[in-house]
Amino acid sequence: MSRNTASAHDAAAVPADGDPRIGPTAAAPRGAAGAEAPPPRSVILVGMPGAGKSSIGRRLAARLGLPFLDADTEIEAAAGLPITEIFSRYGEAHFRDGERRVIARLVSGPPVVLATGGGAFADAATRAALRRAGTVTVWLKCGHATLLRRVVGRGHRPMFLGADPADVLQRLMAARHPLYAEADIVIPCTDESPDATTRRVQEALAAWAPPARLPVALGGGRGYEVVVGEGLLARAGALLASALPSRRVAVVSDAAVAALHGPALRAGLEEAGFTVAAEAAVAPGEASKGFETLHRVLEELLAAGIDRNTAVVALGGGVVGDLAGFAAAVALRGLPFVQVPTTLLAQVDSSVGGKTGVNLAAGKNLAGAFHQPRLVLADSATLRTLPPRELRAGYAEVAKHGLLAGEAFWGWCERGGGEAAVAGDPAALSHAVLESCRLKAAVVAADEREEAAEGGRALLNLGHTFGHALEAECGYDGALLHGEGVAVGLGLAAALSARLGHCAQELPGRVMAHLAACGLPARIADLPRPFSAAALMERMRRDKKVRDGRLRFVLLRAPGDAFTASDVPAEAVEALLRDEGCGE
């Protein structure tokens, strides 16, 4: 058949976008006795000409008990022409279009091992089709010298005809390596035997687990994903490439985090061809979240020559995320923005939802903007570098989400999940992050700008009216961490709910006991300094959640049943504060 009719045939065989068949079916073939069970996804081998995709692909397919397919062979069979002739007759653009259709058809059915042509994965639409199909892509990464020995004399490669292979390889590697870096797995290849390389690919596949992806569904095509998993910093460029308008970024971090995680992030970005146009570092701590630091960061970014396609990457905790997000919102009237949270507090709360801002003398977050990120990358490995106090403080937001979500998540917290998380247990931390982000994503999608008359996104402020007042009174000097203020605030919110008759009288005791078991301050008396009830009341009256001069609280009827209330008597709040140990 002609190349044109082959393209039409393949297009008809490909499912519509958004509805590809993913994973194995009942008809998935089995290998010889003793072969491993097929993985639930097709395995796609990508890389330069000469990387060994076909030879390794055949061996890998035999080991996995899957069919092996070669994309170039399939294209030639469909077109009835060798690839060199397809190129000469119709040009590369037409070939790539047909190649894309053939590959989409091949991965739309039961799992296979597929070796692709060297230029296939360099095509953005082909990469997107492979992601939609749920495949696992493996880059066989070979050095220039190894590739040159393997391709010399190969006349069936159109790009090598009449050209110096060394020059062609150098040019292709420079153009394609940043795109190959988007593969799920990278296997550095040497001159070892194909069997040895195949064994390493198989081991990498067995160890590989895709990161969890939680959608934040917003209108107008502004939705994004929260990606949670281990080792995401090293793959930052690969994960960000499809979410950003260009491969140019400016990184904002604090000095401590930049020293710990900046090199891994930079390497992950550069491997995928990103240019880091600027790196702005601020001092660690809440004191950096102000207009003076914001002004300095903006000047540094603009001096580096950022443009409207340059994305701001926030690497750090909640302070950096809020500050960098606000900078992105106002620089050049709005830049793309990515959250890379490195603290538990930021991963479970502040990185999701688009709230950005800085503090004023009058209170916390009183100047800011809603500016949604393009992506959130929560690398679980960064939590291992947190000081124990920071980890505990971050857990306060997890407990808050448990109270908002209901007995399933709150019960997990109480039954030991919380204590395991603050002890650094990886599985517990992963569960805490995923479930917290799941709850927050749903709330944000339903009420993005906190405009619901009752409930909605305002419910995420459970414990925060009290907590913010305590933080402001401490002067944001690090004596009281945000999460510690929230922990005390959760206990106070539960106690106020019980006093007003909204919840069972034992609920405040449950909340406070759990927080204390996790090493958090649960009551005002647990804090290392005294507080004035009158001063805290004044702070709360200046809180941004105040409506028409009336205090607004999030209260509880039970775990999973929270509501907003603007009719709470001020005297009841003040009496609670005094009973909890506050002075005049």
Side-chain angles (χ1 to χ4, degrees):
M1 72 177 70
S2 72
R3 182 67 218 138
N4 288 347
T5 54
S7 294
H9 170 79
D10 289 326
V14 178
D17 284 356
D19 187 31
R21 288 185 290 164
I22 299 175
T25 67
R30 302 293 298 181
E36 289 193 6
R41 303 163 184 260
S42 288
V43 178
I44 314 301
L45 301 179
V46 306
M48 292 286 293
K53 300 183 293 293
S54 295
S55 61
I56 291 169
R58 290 188 182 91
R59 289 168 170 82
L60 183 65
R63 286 172 174 264
L64 297 178
L66 292 176
F68 170 74
L69 298 173
D70 184 289
D72 285 353
T73 301
E74 296 291 323
I75 291 167
E76 291 180 336
L81 295 170
I83 287 175
T84 51
E85 191 167 345
I86 299 173
F87 262 76
S88 64
R89 284 193 189 185
Y90 304 108
E92 183 174 0
H94 190 85
F95 170 77
R96 295 300 175 202
D97 180 66
E99 178 182 56
R100 184 185 316 124
R101 294 170 186 271
V102 167
I103 289 174
R105 170 171 58 82
L106 295 175
V107 300
S108 68
V112 298
V113 173
L114 176 66
T116 61
F121 201 67
D123 180 79
T126 298
R127 295 197 302 277
L130 292 172
R131 282 194 294 270
R132 286 195 301 271
T135 65
V136 183
T137 50
V138 180
W139 175 19
L140 301 179
K141 185 179 181 180
C142 292
H144 183 274
T146 299
L147 293 173
L148 185 60
R149 286 194 296 273
R150 294 177 180 178
V151 302
V152 168
R154 290 191 178 186
H156 67 290
R157 303 284 184 178
M159 70 285 291
F160 293 119
L161 294 178
D164 179 359
D167 290 344
V168 172
L169 281 174
Q170 195 65 48
R171 174 174 51 81
L172 290 177
M173 290 172 74
R176 292 177 178 177
H177 273 205
L179 305 174
Y180 292 156
E182 295 183 38
D184 297 306
I185 298 171
V186 180
I187 302 293
C189 295
T190 64
D191 284 327
E192 66 187 359
S193 70
D195 285 328
T197 302
T198 302
R199 190 161 49 249
R200 290 197 294 119
V201 173
Q202 186 179 12
E203 290 169 355
L205 285 168
W208 179 78
R213 292 177 176 268
L214 297 171
V216 182
L218 302 176
R222 296 175 304 110
Y224 57 94
E225 288 185 318
V226 181
V227 184
V228 182
E230 289 267 341
L232 301 188
L233 291 183
R235 293 189 41 75
L239 293 165
L240 292 178
S242 61
L244 297 178
S246 76
R247 298 191 185 220
R248 193 165 187 265
V249 299
V251 178
V252 179
S253 187
D254 75 44
V257 172
L260 280 172
H261 303 301
L265 175 65
R266 191 181 309 110
L269 290 168
E270 291 174 350
E271 183 176 36
F274 276 78
T275 298
V276 180
E279 293 182 80
V282 304
E286 194 78 22
S288 287
K289 197 171 147 184
F291 270 111
E292 182 179 348
T293 307
L294 173 68
H295 180 267
R296 180 172 65 79
V297 168
L298 288 170
E299 292 287 3
E300 288 185 27
L301 299 188
L302 292 168
I306 61 170
D307 57 35
R308 297 195 70 183
N309 284 329
T310 303
V312 175
V313 177
L315 174 69
V319 169
V320 165
D322 285 0
L323 176 71
F326 194 22
V330 298
L332 303 179
R333 294 190 173 91
L335 299 178
F337 171 46
V338 173
Q339 288 272 20
V340 185
T342 60
T343 67
L344 181 59
L345 179 64
Q347 290 191 4
V348 303
D349 187 57
S350 61
S351 65
V352 181
K355 281 188 176 181
T356 71
V358 296
N359 302 330
L360 301 179
K364 191 176 176 71
N365 298 325
L366 293 183
F370 285 96
H371 191 55
Q372 298 290 349
R374 298 292 183 91
L375 196 71
V376 178
L377 294 183
D379 188 337
S380 306
T382 63
L383 301 182
R384 291 196 285 270
T385 66
L386 285 180
R389 185 186 175 200
E390 291 279 356
L391 193 64
R392 291 193 298 268
Y395 178 75
E397 292 286 355
V398 178
K400 179 198 76 176
H401 292 141
L403 287 167
L404 292 173
E407 285 292 352
F409 191 16
W410 174 243
W412 175 85
C413 294
E414 283 191 300
R415 289 191 302 272
E419 292 176 72
V422 297
D425 179 77
L429 284 169
S430 177
H431 184 76
V433 172
L434 286 169
E435 291 308 308
S436 292
C437 289
R438 196 184 314 280
L439 176 126
K440 187 160 188 183
V443 172
V444 169
D447 183 25
E448 179 185 355
R449 301 178 69 87
E450 204 168 316
E451 295 171 330
E454 296 296 334
R457 187 165 180 169
L459 296 178
L460 295 171
N461 290 315
L462 177 65
H464 282 59
T465 300
F466 288 112
H468 283 174
L470 292 165
E471 279 187 273
E473 196 65 10
C474 288
Y476 311 117
D477 60 359
L480 180 70
L481 300 179
H482 172 71
E484 293 168 341
V486 169
V488 175
L490 291 174
L492 290 169
L496 183 59
S497 301
R499 284 192 177 213
L500 297 175
H502 296 304
C503 71
Q505 293 301 305
E506 64 267 20
L507 183 59
R510 285 177 63 187
V511 173
M512 293 179 186
H514 175 62
L515 294 169
C518 293
L520 284 160
R523 316 182 73 133
I524 290 179
D526 296 334
L527 300 178
R529 54 155 288 178
F531 291 89
S532 158
L536 291 176
M537 291 297 295
E538 183 58 30
R539 294 284 187 184
M540 285 188 276
R541 290 189 181 97
R542 295 203 298 266
D543 191 279
K544 64 183 182 297
K545 295 179 285 297
V546 168
R547 299 276 181 90
D548 300 321
R550 304 172 72 181
L551 294 175
R552 194 163 184 247
F553 290 91
V554 181
L555 301 177
L556 292 164
R557 297 187 185 93
D561 188 0
F563 64 99
T564 52
S566 300
D567 58 352
V568 177
E571 54 270 22
V573 180
E574 190 163 358
L576 173 62
L577 292 174
R578 293 185 192 282
D579 290 347
E580 285 293 310
C582 288
E584 294 294 327

